[in-house]
Amino acid sequence: MKKLFSEFNIKNVKMKNRICIPPMVVGFSNDGSVIPENVERYKKLAQGGAGLIIQEATCVNIDGKLSEKQLGIWADDQIEGLKKIVDAVHEENCPIFIQIHHAGVVGISENPLCPSDYEYKNLTKTVVGHEMTIEDIKCIQNDFIEAARRAYKAGYDGVELHGCHGYLICQFFNKRVNKRTDEYGTNPEKFVIEILDGIRKITPKEFVVGIRLGGFEPTIEDGVHYAKVLERNGIDFLDISYGFGSEQEMNVPEGYKYSNAVYAAERIKEEVSVPVFAVNGIYSAETAEEIVRERDVDMVDIGRGALINPNWANDAKESKDTGKCLSCAKCMWFGQSKVCAGKVIFDRNNEI
Ligand SMILES: Cc1cc2nc3c(=O)[nH]c(=O)nc-3n(C[C@H](O)[C@H](O)[C@H](O)COP(=O)(O)O)c2cc1C
């Protein structure tokens, strides 16, 4: 586990190992503000020994929410609550970034926005996203910039722009969703680069600004292209995951050993020098070590593993059982954590 447990820095942010707990909305908040359960959850995760925590998708604008109980960073009076999370995590000697997010057409708004008109079907309904005006674009870019200002004020070590999994920034990147004919369509990265520039103007240069980017947007070639453009424009790290659900072409070599998202991270890392994070289905310490060592990515995200066992990194370091997601989907992405079969087995084996 030599590389997995080696130190790593992004700017002045020091991480004691290469394990990152990626953003995971588990939904406790009623009005977007932090409640004690949020603070306790992050404290426990920080005690678990990971090198970095990225706080769950936290919304920049009340109309951009992905779920009713999502945390918010759209108002100054939310800073105090967010600071409690930051302080609790820092007390455990762990840095924390916050993922800032707007859902666009993939949210709960009755009248959602999208870069261009788009019909989005999910399991229960079809919604139509309406093309954003230039004024809408400027407003939402400003919401992201203001959210980063609040994040800096609350003491976060950095922000991660949520640019994947179908949400608004991802909707701009994916040309099958973004059919605009102006510069925000012909040059789809313009939306996010202007946000990045805006954040740089109002935060000190050591403040970390990264992005969670879809590797297939819609193809890996697009993912590599956007990664290079963002690197040229000063992004501090690239956390590579999936892009816009049905609008991706995941051409991955047959028999590739890890998940498609890890493949995308590996490919992107070959083309950039900024730190790259890999994610998805990294269930054991051995696999995590193999991925950072042989695939040359800088950090690995352990998501569901940390939901099952918040002490994942400490246990991995001591070669203990870390627990495992069984991919049974009973939990509905952990919405029903009590029926998580992996957690039940882990807790029973470890008498928790
Ligand atoms: C309950 C839950 C909530 C999630 N919320 C977010 C989120 O807020 N932002 C995000 O980018 N990804 C989110 N994800 C995706 C995870 O960050 C991660 O990419 C995914 O679980 C795959 O990694 P894993 O196989 O280690 O779990 C969520 C996943 C889960 C299980």
PDB file of all heavy atoms in Angstrom, residues 114-118 131-132 137 168-191 217 226 244 247:
ATOM      1  N   CYS A 114     -32.004  24.705 -19.050  1.00  0.00           N
ATOM      2  CA  CYS A 114     -31.046  23.825 -19.726  1.00  0.00           C
ATOM      3  C   CYS A 114     -30.337  24.713 -20.752  1.00  0.00           C
ATOM      4  O   CYS A 114     -30.900  25.733 -21.169  1.00  0.00           O
ATOM      5  CB  CYS A 114     -31.846  22.703 -20.409  1.00  0.00           C
ATOM      6  SG  CYS A 114     -30.839  21.295 -20.914  1.00  0.00           S
ATOM      7  N   PRO A 115     -29.129  24.351 -21.172  1.00  0.00           N
ATOM      8  CA  PRO A 115     -28.481  25.201 -22.185  1.00  0.00           C
ATOM      9  C   PRO A 115     -29.373  25.409 -23.414  1.00  0.00           C
ATOM     10  O   PRO A 115     -29.447  26.509 -23.961  1.00  0.00           O
ATOM     11  CB  PRO A 115     -27.216  24.417 -22.543  1.00  0.00           C
ATOM     12  CG  PRO A 115     -26.945  23.579 -21.354  1.00  0.00           C
ATOM     13  CD  PRO A 115     -28.258  23.255 -20.725  1.00  0.00           C
ATOM     14  N   SER A 116     -30.030  24.350 -23.874  1.00  0.00           N
ATOM     15  CA  SER A 116     -31.013  24.518 -24.963  1.00  0.00           C
ATOM     16  C   SER A 116     -32.206  23.619 -24.651  1.00  0.00           C
ATOM     17  O   SER A 116     -32.124  22.773 -23.755  1.00  0.00           O
ATOM     18  CB  SER A 116     -30.395  24.167 -26.316  1.00  0.00           C
ATOM     19  OG  SER A 116     -29.772  22.917 -26.271  1.00  0.00           O
ATOM     20  N   ASP A 117     -33.310  23.797 -25.355  1.00  0.00           N
ATOM     21  CA  ASP A 117     -34.509  23.009 -25.051  1.00  0.00           C
ATOM     22  C   ASP A 117     -34.142  21.525 -25.068  1.00  0.00           C
ATOM     23  O   ASP A 117     -33.484  21.045 -26.000  1.00  0.00           O
ATOM     24  CB  ASP A 117     -35.599  23.258 -26.104  1.00  0.00           C
ATOM     25  CG  ASP A 117     -36.169  24.665 -25.971  1.00  0.00           C
ATOM     26  OD1 ASP A 117     -35.862  25.331 -24.960  1.00  0.00           O
ATOM     27  OD2 ASP A 117     -36.889  25.097 -26.890  1.00  0.00           O
ATOM     28  N   TYR A 118     -34.587  20.806 -24.046  1.00  0.00           N
ATOM     29  CA  TYR A 118     -34.222  19.389 -23.964  1.00  0.00           C
ATOM     30  C   TYR A 118     -35.290  18.648 -23.179  1.00  0.00           C
ATOM     31  O   TYR A 118     -35.721  19.109 -22.112  1.00  0.00           O
ATOM     32  CB  TYR A 118     -32.858  19.233 -23.256  1.00  0.00           C
ATOM     33  CG  TYR A 118     -32.354  17.803 -23.237  1.00  0.00           C
ATOM     34  CD1 TYR A 118     -31.725  17.256 -24.353  1.00  0.00           C
ATOM     35  CD2 TYR A 118     -32.513  17.003 -22.107  1.00  0.00           C
ATOM     36  CE1 TYR A 118     -31.263  15.930 -24.349  1.00  0.00           C
ATOM     37  CE2 TYR A 118     -32.059  15.692 -22.085  1.00  0.00           C
ATOM     38  CZ  TYR A 118     -31.436  15.160 -23.211  1.00  0.00           C
ATOM     39  OH  TYR A 118     -30.990  13.865 -23.193  1.00  0.00           O
ATOM     40  N   GLU A 131     -34.457  26.582 -22.912  1.00  0.00           N
ATOM     41  CA  GLU A 131     -33.175  27.198 -23.275  1.00  0.00           C
ATOM     42  C   GLU A 131     -32.890  28.431 -22.429  1.00  0.00           C
ATOM     43  O   GLU A 131     -33.740  29.313 -22.287  1.00  0.00           O
ATOM     44  CB  GLU A 131     -33.179  27.572 -24.756  1.00  0.00           C
ATOM     45  CG  GLU A 131     -31.933  28.333 -25.137  1.00  0.00           C
ATOM     46  CD  GLU A 131     -31.641  28.305 -26.616  1.00  0.00           C
ATOM     47  OE1 GLU A 131     -31.917  27.283 -27.268  1.00  0.00           O
ATOM     48  OE2 GLU A 131     -31.136  29.329 -27.100  1.00  0.00           O
ATOM     49  N   MET A 132     -31.696  28.492 -21.894  1.00  0.00           N
ATOM     50  CA  MET A 132     -31.306  29.623 -21.054  1.00  0.00           C
ATOM     51  C   MET A 132     -31.040  30.850 -21.910  1.00  0.00           C
ATOM     52  O   MET A 132     -30.389  30.755 -22.963  1.00  0.00           O
ATOM     53  CB  MET A 132     -30.039  29.261 -20.268  1.00  0.00           C
ATOM     54  CG  MET A 132     -30.279  28.195 -19.216  1.00  0.00           C
ATOM     55  SD  MET A 132     -28.740  27.464 -18.598  1.00  0.00           S
ATOM     56  CE  MET A 132     -28.147  28.732 -17.502  1.00  0.00           C
ATOM     57  N   ILE A 137     -27.779  32.686 -18.087  1.00  0.00           N
ATOM     58  CA  ILE A 137     -26.400  32.168 -18.011  1.00  0.00           C
ATOM     59  C   ILE A 137     -25.573  33.014 -17.051  1.00  0.00           C
ATOM     60  O   ILE A 137     -24.919  32.499 -16.140  1.00  0.00           O
ATOM     61  CB  ILE A 137     -25.761  32.127 -19.422  1.00  0.00           C
ATOM     62  CG1 ILE A 137     -26.422  31.025 -20.248  1.00  0.00           C
ATOM     63  CG2 ILE A 137     -24.245  31.935 -19.344  1.00  0.00           C
ATOM     64  CD1 ILE A 137     -25.896  30.853 -21.655  1.00  0.00           C
ATOM     65  N   LEU A 168     -26.117  20.678 -14.531  1.00  0.00           N
ATOM     66  CA  LEU A 168     -26.084  21.800 -15.487  1.00  0.00           C
ATOM     67  C   LEU A 168     -24.757  21.981 -16.246  1.00  0.00           C
ATOM     68  O   LEU A 168     -24.775  22.142 -17.475  1.00  0.00           O
ATOM     69  CB  LEU A 168     -26.461  23.111 -14.775  1.00  0.00           C
ATOM     70  CG  LEU A 168     -26.579  24.299 -15.735  1.00  0.00           C
ATOM     71  CD1 LEU A 168     -27.764  24.143 -16.683  1.00  0.00           C
ATOM     72  CD2 LEU A 168     -26.708  25.610 -14.971  1.00  0.00           C
ATOM     73  N   ILE A 169     -23.636  21.953 -15.536  1.00  0.00           N
ATOM     74  CA  ILE A 169     -22.359  22.196 -16.241  1.00  0.00           C
ATOM     75  C   ILE A 169     -22.151  21.091 -17.274  1.00  0.00           C
ATOM     76  O   ILE A 169     -21.714  21.327 -18.406  1.00  0.00           O
ATOM     77  CB  ILE A 169     -21.184  22.289 -15.241  1.00  0.00           C
ATOM     78  CG1 ILE A 169     -21.348  23.548 -14.370  1.00  0.00           C
ATOM     79  CG2 ILE A 169     -19.833  22.304 -15.961  1.00  0.00           C
ATOM     80  CD1 ILE A 169     -20.307  23.699 -13.257  1.00  0.00           C
ATOM     81  N   CYS A 170     -22.513  19.884 -16.902  1.00  0.00           N
ATOM     82  CA  CYS A 170     -22.417  18.720 -17.799  1.00  0.00           C
ATOM     83  C   CYS A 170     -23.343  18.906 -19.017  1.00  0.00           C
ATOM     84  O   CYS A 170     -23.002  18.539 -20.147  1.00  0.00           O
ATOM     85  CB  CYS A 170     -22.790  17.523 -16.952  1.00  0.00           C
ATOM     86  SG  CYS A 170     -23.068  15.993 -17.744  1.00  0.00           S
ATOM     87  N   GLN A 171     -24.499  19.513 -18.779  1.00  0.00           N
ATOM     88  CA  GLN A 171     -25.435  19.761 -19.893  1.00  0.00           C
ATOM     89  C   GLN A 171     -24.805  20.720 -20.913  1.00  0.00           C
ATOM     90  O   GLN A 171     -25.058  20.620 -22.110  1.00  0.00           O
ATOM     91  CB  GLN A 171     -26.763  20.323 -19.353  1.00  0.00           C
ATOM     92  CG  GLN A 171     -27.564  19.292 -18.558  1.00  0.00           C
ATOM     93  CD  GLN A 171     -28.532  19.897 -17.540  1.00  0.00           C
ATOM     94  OE1 GLN A 171     -29.072  20.979 -17.755  1.00  0.00           O
ATOM     95  NE2 GLN A 171     -28.750  19.189 -16.437  1.00  0.00           N
ATOM     96  N   PHE A 172     -23.984  21.663 -20.404  1.00  0.00           N
ATOM     97  CA  PHE A 172     -23.274  22.541 -21.353  1.00  0.00           C
ATOM     98  C   PHE A 172     -22.231  21.749 -22.132  1.00  0.00           C
ATOM     99  O   PHE A 172     -22.098  21.897 -23.346  1.00  0.00           O
ATOM    100  CB  PHE A 172     -22.607  23.718 -20.612  1.00  0.00           C
ATOM    101  CG  PHE A 172     -23.523  24.902 -20.476  1.00  0.00           C
ATOM    102  CD1 PHE A 172     -24.344  25.037 -19.373  1.00  0.00           C
ATOM    103  CD2 PHE A 172     -23.601  25.863 -21.479  1.00  0.00           C
ATOM    104  CE1 PHE A 172     -25.223  26.103 -19.248  1.00  0.00           C
ATOM    105  CE2 PHE A 172     -24.477  26.938 -21.372  1.00  0.00           C
ATOM    106  CZ  PHE A 172     -25.289  27.060 -20.251  1.00  0.00           C
ATOM    107  N   PHE A 173     -21.466  20.891 -21.431  1.00  0.00           N
ATOM    108  CA  PHE A 173     -20.380  20.168 -22.100  1.00  0.00           C
ATOM    109  C   PHE A 173     -20.890  19.233 -23.198  1.00  0.00           C
ATOM    110  O   PHE A 173     -20.237  19.086 -24.235  1.00  0.00           O
ATOM    111  CB  PHE A 173     -19.602  19.309 -21.088  1.00  0.00           C
ATOM    112  CG  PHE A 173     -18.608  20.070 -20.258  1.00  0.00           C
ATOM    113  CD1 PHE A 173     -18.537  19.887 -18.876  1.00  0.00           C
ATOM    114  CD2 PHE A 173     -17.704  20.940 -20.851  1.00  0.00           C
ATOM    115  CE1 PHE A 173     -17.612  20.568 -18.102  1.00  0.00           C
ATOM    116  CE2 PHE A 173     -16.776  21.632 -20.085  1.00  0.00           C
ATOM    117  CZ  PHE A 173     -16.733  21.442 -18.704  1.00  0.00           C
ATOM    118  N   ASN A 174     -22.018  18.573 -22.945  1.00  0.00           N
ATOM    119  CA  ASN A 174     -22.426  17.495 -23.860  1.00  0.00           C
ATOM    120  C   ASN A 174     -23.184  18.065 -25.062  1.00  0.00           C
ATOM    121  O   ASN A 174     -24.310  18.564 -24.928  1.00  0.00           O
ATOM    122  CB  ASN A 174     -23.286  16.470 -23.112  1.00  0.00           C
ATOM    123  CG  ASN A 174     -23.415  15.192 -23.901  1.00  0.00           C
ATOM    124  OD1 ASN A 174     -23.789  15.210 -25.072  1.00  0.00           O
ATOM    125  ND2 ASN A 174     -23.098  14.075 -23.278  1.00  0.00           N
ATOM    126  N   LYS A 175     -22.578  17.942 -26.236  1.00  0.00           N
ATOM    127  CA  LYS A 175     -23.158  18.583 -27.435  1.00  0.00           C
ATOM    128  C   LYS A 175     -24.473  17.943 -27.859  1.00  0.00           C
ATOM    129  O   LYS A 175     -25.183  18.494 -28.690  1.00  0.00           O
ATOM    130  CB  LYS A 175     -22.159  18.534 -28.580  1.00  0.00           C
ATOM    131  CG  LYS A 175     -21.043  19.528 -28.399  1.00  0.00           C
ATOM    132  CD  LYS A 175     -20.180  19.583 -29.643  1.00  0.00           C
ATOM    133  CE  LYS A 175     -18.957  20.439 -29.371  1.00  0.00           C
ATOM    134  NZ  LYS A 175     -17.837  20.098 -30.217  1.00  0.00           N
ATOM    135  N   ARG A 176     -24.771  16.761 -27.306  1.00  0.00           N
ATOM    136  CA  ARG A 176     -26.065  16.152 -27.636  1.00  0.00           C
ATOM    137  C   ARG A 176     -27.175  16.783 -26.797  1.00  0.00           C
ATOM    138  O   ARG A 176     -28.354  16.599 -27.086  1.00  0.00           O
ATOM    139  CB  ARG A 176     -26.028  14.647 -27.405  1.00  0.00           C
ATOM    140  CG  ARG A 176     -25.060  14.002 -28.364  1.00  0.00           C
ATOM    141  CD  ARG A 176     -25.054  12.509 -28.214  1.00  0.00           C
ATOM    142  NE  ARG A 176     -24.031  11.966 -29.081  1.00  0.00           N
ATOM    143  CZ  ARG A 176     -23.625  10.720 -29.062  1.00  0.00           C
ATOM    144  NH1 ARG A 176     -24.155   9.863 -28.208  1.00  0.00           N
ATOM    145  NH2 ARG A 176     -22.690  10.309 -29.890  1.00  0.00           N
ATOM    146  N   VAL A 177     -26.788  17.501 -25.762  1.00  0.00           N
ATOM    147  CA  VAL A 177     -27.772  18.201 -24.929  1.00  0.00           C
ATOM    148  C   VAL A 177     -27.724  19.696 -25.254  1.00  0.00           C
ATOM    149  O   VAL A 177     -28.748  20.353 -25.405  1.00  0.00           O
ATOM    150  CB  VAL A 177     -27.468  17.975 -23.423  1.00  0.00           C
ATOM    151  CG1 VAL A 177     -28.487  18.682 -22.551  1.00  0.00           C
ATOM    152  CG2 VAL A 177     -27.428  16.485 -23.111  1.00  0.00           C
ATOM    153  N   ASN A 178     -26.505  20.208 -25.391  1.00  0.00           N
ATOM    154  CA  ASN A 178     -26.308  21.635 -25.648  1.00  0.00           C
ATOM    155  C   ASN A 178     -26.291  21.876 -27.163  1.00  0.00           C
ATOM    156  O   ASN A 178     -25.279  21.657 -27.827  1.00  0.00           O
ATOM    157  CB  ASN A 178     -24.974  22.062 -25.013  1.00  0.00           C
ATOM    158  CG  ASN A 178     -24.647  23.516 -25.266  1.00  0.00           C
ATOM    159  OD1 ASN A 178     -25.390  24.244 -25.944  1.00  0.00           O
ATOM    160  ND2 ASN A 178     -23.514  23.950 -24.738  1.00  0.00           N
ATOM    161  N   LYS A 179     -27.427  22.354 -27.677  1.00  0.00           N
ATOM    162  CA  LYS A 179     -27.510  22.585 -29.129  1.00  0.00           C
ATOM    163  C   LYS A 179     -27.506  24.078 -29.441  1.00  0.00           C
ATOM    164  O   LYS A 179     -27.969  24.500 -30.507  1.00  0.00           O
ATOM    165  CB  LYS A 179     -28.811  21.948 -29.649  1.00  0.00           C
ATOM    166  CG  LYS A 179     -28.949  20.452 -29.320  1.00  0.00           C
ATOM    167  CD  LYS A 179     -29.030  19.626 -30.614  1.00  0.00           C
ATOM    168  CE  LYS A 179     -28.957  18.136 -30.363  1.00  0.00           C
ATOM    169  NZ  LYS A 179     -30.063  17.551 -29.654  1.00  0.00           N
ATOM    170  N   ARG A 180     -27.008  24.882 -28.527  1.00  0.00           N
ATOM    171  CA  ARG A 180     -26.999  26.328 -28.746  1.00  0.00           C
ATOM    172  C   ARG A 180     -26.143  26.661 -29.964  1.00  0.00           C
ATOM    173  O   ARG A 180     -25.170  25.964 -30.258  1.00  0.00           O
ATOM    174  CB  ARG A 180     -26.393  27.048 -27.532  1.00  0.00           C
ATOM    175  CG  ARG A 180     -27.165  26.893 -26.250  1.00  0.00           C
ATOM    176  CD  ARG A 180     -26.470  27.634 -25.123  1.00  0.00           C
ATOM    177  NE  ARG A 180     -26.635  29.074 -25.271  1.00  0.00           N
ATOM    178  CZ  ARG A 180     -27.603  29.770 -24.710  1.00  0.00           C
ATOM    179  NH1 ARG A 180     -28.495  29.188 -23.932  1.00  0.00           N
ATOM    180  NH2 ARG A 180     -27.688  31.085 -24.894  1.00  0.00           N
ATOM    181  N   THR A 181     -26.514  27.765 -30.622  1.00  0.00           N
ATOM    182  CA  THR A 181     -25.728  28.140 -31.793  1.00  0.00           C
ATOM    183  C   THR A 181     -24.843  29.345 -31.487  1.00  0.00           C
ATOM    184  O   THR A 181     -24.054  29.772 -32.318  1.00  0.00           O
ATOM    185  CB  THR A 181     -26.661  28.468 -32.975  1.00  0.00           C
ATOM    186  OG1 THR A 181     -27.634  29.402 -32.515  1.00  0.00           O
ATOM    187  CG2 THR A 181     -27.357  27.218 -33.510  1.00  0.00           C
ATOM    188  N   ASP A 182     -24.992  29.898 -30.245  1.00  0.00           N
ATOM    189  CA  ASP A 182     -24.095  31.014 -29.892  1.00  0.00           C
ATOM    190  C   ASP A 182     -22.789  30.436 -29.329  1.00  0.00           C
ATOM    191  O   ASP A 182     -22.574  29.225 -29.366  1.00  0.00           O
ATOM    192  CB  ASP A 182     -24.795  31.972 -28.904  1.00  0.00           C
ATOM    193  CG  ASP A 182     -25.098  31.295 -27.556  1.00  0.00           C
ATOM    194  OD1 ASP A 182     -24.713  30.111 -27.378  1.00  0.00           O
ATOM    195  OD2 ASP A 182     -25.725  31.934 -26.700  1.00  0.00           O
ATOM    196  N   GLU A 183     -21.957  31.316 -28.790  1.00  0.00           N
ATOM    197  CA  GLU A 183     -20.631  30.882 -28.288  1.00  0.00           C
ATOM    198  C   GLU A 183     -20.709  29.843 -27.163  1.00  0.00           C
ATOM    199  O   GLU A 183     -19.779  29.065 -26.968  1.00  0.00           O
ATOM    200  CB  GLU A 183     -19.888  32.095 -27.737  1.00  0.00           C
ATOM    201  CG  GLU A 183     -19.132  32.880 -28.779  1.00  0.00           C
ATOM    202  CD  GLU A 183     -18.335  33.954 -28.084  1.00  0.00           C
ATOM    203  OE1 GLU A 183     -18.974  34.877 -27.521  1.00  0.00           O
ATOM    204  OE2 GLU A 183     -17.099  33.851 -28.087  1.00  0.00           O
ATOM    205  N   TYR A 184     -21.817  29.859 -26.397  1.00  0.00           N
ATOM    206  CA  TYR A 184     -21.948  28.874 -25.319  1.00  0.00           C
ATOM    207  C   TYR A 184     -22.287  27.484 -25.853  1.00  0.00           C
ATOM    208  O   TYR A 184     -22.293  26.510 -25.116  1.00  0.00           O
ATOM    209  CB  TYR A 184     -22.997  29.339 -24.295  1.00  0.00           C
ATOM    210  CG  TYR A 184     -22.528  30.534 -23.502  1.00  0.00           C
ATOM    211  CD1 TYR A 184     -22.926  31.823 -23.869  1.00  0.00           C
ATOM    212  CD2 TYR A 184     -21.673  30.384 -22.422  1.00  0.00           C
ATOM    213  CE1 TYR A 184     -22.483  32.932 -23.156  1.00  0.00           C
ATOM    214  CE2 TYR A 184     -21.217  31.487 -21.706  1.00  0.00           C
ATOM    215  CZ  TYR A 184     -21.620  32.755 -22.079  1.00  0.00           C
ATOM    216  OH  TYR A 184     -21.172  33.838 -21.374  1.00  0.00           O
ATOM    217  N   GLY A 185     -22.578  27.428 -27.160  1.00  0.00           N
ATOM    218  CA  GLY A 185     -22.821  26.139 -27.796  1.00  0.00           C
ATOM    219  C   GLY A 185     -21.656  25.737 -28.687  1.00  0.00           C
ATOM    220  O   GLY A 185     -21.189  24.596 -28.657  1.00  0.00           O
ATOM    221  N   THR A 186     -21.140  26.705 -29.454  1.00  0.00           N
ATOM    222  CA  THR A 186     -20.016  26.368 -30.349  1.00  0.00           C
ATOM    223  C   THR A 186     -18.733  26.157 -29.523  1.00  0.00           C
ATOM    224  O   THR A 186     -17.802  25.502 -29.974  1.00  0.00           O
ATOM    225  CB  THR A 186     -19.788  27.491 -31.381  1.00  0.00           C
ATOM    226  OG1 THR A 186     -19.614  28.712 -30.663  1.00  0.00           O
ATOM    227  CG2 THR A 186     -20.965  27.616 -32.339  1.00  0.00           C
ATOM    228  N   ASN A 187     -18.719  26.740 -28.335  1.00  0.00           N
ATOM    229  CA  ASN A 187     -17.551  26.648 -27.461  1.00  0.00           C
ATOM    230  C   ASN A 187     -18.081  26.267 -26.076  1.00  0.00           C
ATOM    231  O   ASN A 187     -18.112  27.076 -25.156  1.00  0.00           O
ATOM    232  CB  ASN A 187     -16.920  28.047 -27.475  1.00  0.00           C
ATOM    233  CG  ASN A 187     -15.641  28.123 -26.701  1.00  0.00           C
ATOM    234  OD1 ASN A 187     -15.107  27.109 -26.288  1.00  0.00           O
ATOM    235  ND2 ASN A 187     -15.170  29.328 -26.497  1.00  0.00           N
ATOM    236  N   PRO A 188     -18.512  24.991 -25.912  1.00  0.00           N
ATOM    237  CA  PRO A 188     -19.315  24.616 -24.735  1.00  0.00           C
ATOM    238  C   PRO A 188     -18.610  24.821 -23.394  1.00  0.00           C
ATOM    239  O   PRO A 188     -19.271  24.946 -22.373  1.00  0.00           O
ATOM    240  CB  PRO A 188     -19.594  23.122 -24.947  1.00  0.00           C
ATOM    241  CG  PRO A 188     -19.172  22.789 -26.308  1.00  0.00           C
ATOM    242  CD  PRO A 188     -18.228  23.846 -26.783  1.00  0.00           C
ATOM    243  N   GLU A 189     -17.268  24.860 -23.425  1.00  0.00           N
ATOM    244  CA  GLU A 189     -16.543  25.019 -22.155  1.00  0.00           C
ATOM    245  C   GLU A 189     -16.585  26.468 -21.635  1.00  0.00           C
ATOM    246  O   GLU A 189     -16.217  26.739 -20.493  1.00  0.00           O
ATOM    247  CB  GLU A 189     -15.085  24.548 -22.287  1.00  0.00           C
ATOM    248  CG  GLU A 189     -14.257  25.224 -23.335  1.00  0.00           C
ATOM    249  CD  GLU A 189     -14.304  24.521 -24.709  1.00  0.00           C
ATOM    250  OE1 GLU A 189     -15.231  23.724 -24.946  1.00  0.00           O
ATOM    251  OE2 GLU A 189     -13.409  24.809 -25.530  1.00  0.00           O
ATOM    252  N   LYS A 190     -17.077  27.397 -22.505  1.00  0.00           N
ATOM    253  CA  LYS A 190     -17.105  28.825 -22.124  1.00  0.00           C
ATOM    254  C   LYS A 190     -17.865  29.039 -20.809  1.00  0.00           C
ATOM    255  O   LYS A 190     -17.444  29.825 -19.958  1.00  0.00           O
ATOM    256  CB  LYS A 190     -17.767  29.615 -23.263  1.00  0.00           C
ATOM    257  CG  LYS A 190     -17.796  31.121 -23.080  1.00  0.00           C
ATOM    258  CD  LYS A 190     -18.364  31.776 -24.349  1.00  0.00           C
ATOM    259  CE  LYS A 190     -18.773  33.224 -24.162  1.00  0.00           C
ATOM    260  NZ  LYS A 190     -17.652  34.121 -23.944  1.00  0.00           N
ATOM    261  N   PHE A 191     -18.983  28.314 -20.638  1.00  0.00           N
ATOM    262  CA  PHE A 191     -19.797  28.495 -19.433  1.00  0.00           C
ATOM    263  C   PHE A 191     -18.957  28.279 -18.175  1.00  0.00           C
ATOM    264  O   PHE A 191     -18.959  29.095 -17.263  1.00  0.00           O
ATOM    265  CB  PHE A 191     -20.990  27.514 -19.476  1.00  0.00           C
ATOM    266  CG  PHE A 191     -21.898  27.598 -18.287  1.00  0.00           C
ATOM    267  CD1 PHE A 191     -22.719  28.704 -18.098  1.00  0.00           C
ATOM    268  CD2 PHE A 191     -21.945  26.571 -17.345  1.00  0.00           C
ATOM    269  CE1 PHE A 191     -23.567  28.789 -16.990  1.00  0.00           C
ATOM    270  CE2 PHE A 191     -22.791  26.646 -16.238  1.00  0.00           C
ATOM    271  CZ  PHE A 191     -23.604  27.753 -16.064  1.00  0.00           C
ATOM    272  N   GLU A 217     -18.164  12.610 -22.834  1.00  0.00           N
ATOM    273  CA  GLU A 217     -19.111  13.720 -22.946  1.00  0.00           C
ATOM    274  C   GLU A 217     -19.269  14.199 -24.382  1.00  0.00           C
ATOM    275  O   GLU A 217     -18.967  15.331 -24.678  1.00  0.00           O
ATOM    276  CB  GLU A 217     -18.623  14.826 -22.016  1.00  0.00           C
ATOM    277  CG  GLU A 217     -19.688  15.709 -21.467  1.00  0.00           C
ATOM    278  CD  GLU A 217     -20.616  15.065 -20.436  1.00  0.00           C
ATOM    279  OE1 GLU A 217     -21.514  14.311 -20.851  1.00  0.00           O
ATOM    280  OE2 GLU A 217     -20.431  15.321 -19.259  1.00  0.00           O
ATOM    281  N   TYR A 226     -11.911  18.360 -23.106  1.00  0.00           N
ATOM    282  CA  TYR A 226     -12.315  19.303 -22.043  1.00  0.00           C
ATOM    283  C   TYR A 226     -11.286  19.330 -20.920  1.00  0.00           C
ATOM    284  O   TYR A 226     -11.004  20.389 -20.352  1.00  0.00           O
ATOM    285  CB  TYR A 226     -13.695  18.931 -21.485  1.00  0.00           C
ATOM    286  CG  TYR A 226     -14.826  19.160 -22.466  1.00  0.00           C
ATOM    287  CD1 TYR A 226     -15.806  18.193 -22.692  1.00  0.00           C
ATOM    288  CD2 TYR A 226     -14.924  20.363 -23.172  1.00  0.00           C
ATOM    289  CE1 TYR A 226     -16.839  18.407 -23.597  1.00  0.00           C
ATOM    290  CE2 TYR A 226     -15.953  20.583 -24.073  1.00  0.00           C
ATOM    291  CZ  TYR A 226     -16.913  19.603 -24.284  1.00  0.00           C
ATOM    292  OH  TYR A 226     -17.924  19.818 -25.178  1.00  0.00           O
ATOM    293  N   PHE A 244     -23.324  12.804 -19.050  1.00  0.00           N
ATOM    294  CA  PHE A 244     -24.788  12.909 -19.111  1.00  0.00           C
ATOM    295  C   PHE A 244     -25.375  11.543 -19.461  1.00  0.00           C
ATOM    296  O   PHE A 244     -25.272  11.069 -20.602  1.00  0.00           O
ATOM    297  CB  PHE A 244     -25.207  13.942 -20.159  1.00  0.00           C
ATOM    298  CG  PHE A 244     -26.661  14.327 -20.030  1.00  0.00           C
ATOM    299  CD1 PHE A 244     -27.024  15.528 -19.437  1.00  0.00           C
ATOM    300  CD2 PHE A 244     -27.670  13.487 -20.481  1.00  0.00           C
ATOM    301  CE1 PHE A 244     -28.355  15.876 -19.286  1.00  0.00           C
ATOM    302  CE2 PHE A 244     -29.007  13.821 -20.330  1.00  0.00           C
ATOM    303  CZ  PHE A 244     -29.358  15.011 -19.745  1.00  0.00           C
ATOM    304  N   GLU A 247     -26.641  10.134 -22.871  1.00  0.00           N
ATOM    305  CA  GLU A 247     -25.966  10.778 -24.013  1.00  0.00           C
ATOM    306  C   GLU A 247     -24.460  10.515 -23.984  1.00  0.00           C
ATOM    307  O   GLU A 247     -23.671  11.374 -24.343  1.00  0.00           O
ATOM    308  CB  GLU A 247     -26.241  12.292 -24.005  1.00  0.00           C
ATOM    309  CG  GLU A 247     -27.705  12.694 -23.910  1.00  0.00           C
ATOM    310  CD  GLU A 247     -28.486  12.480 -25.211  1.00  0.00           C
ATOM    311  OE1 GLU A 247     -27.956  11.829 -26.139  1.00  0.00           O
ATOM    312  OE2 GLU A 247     -29.633  12.963 -25.278  1.00  0.00           O
TER     313      GLU A 247
END
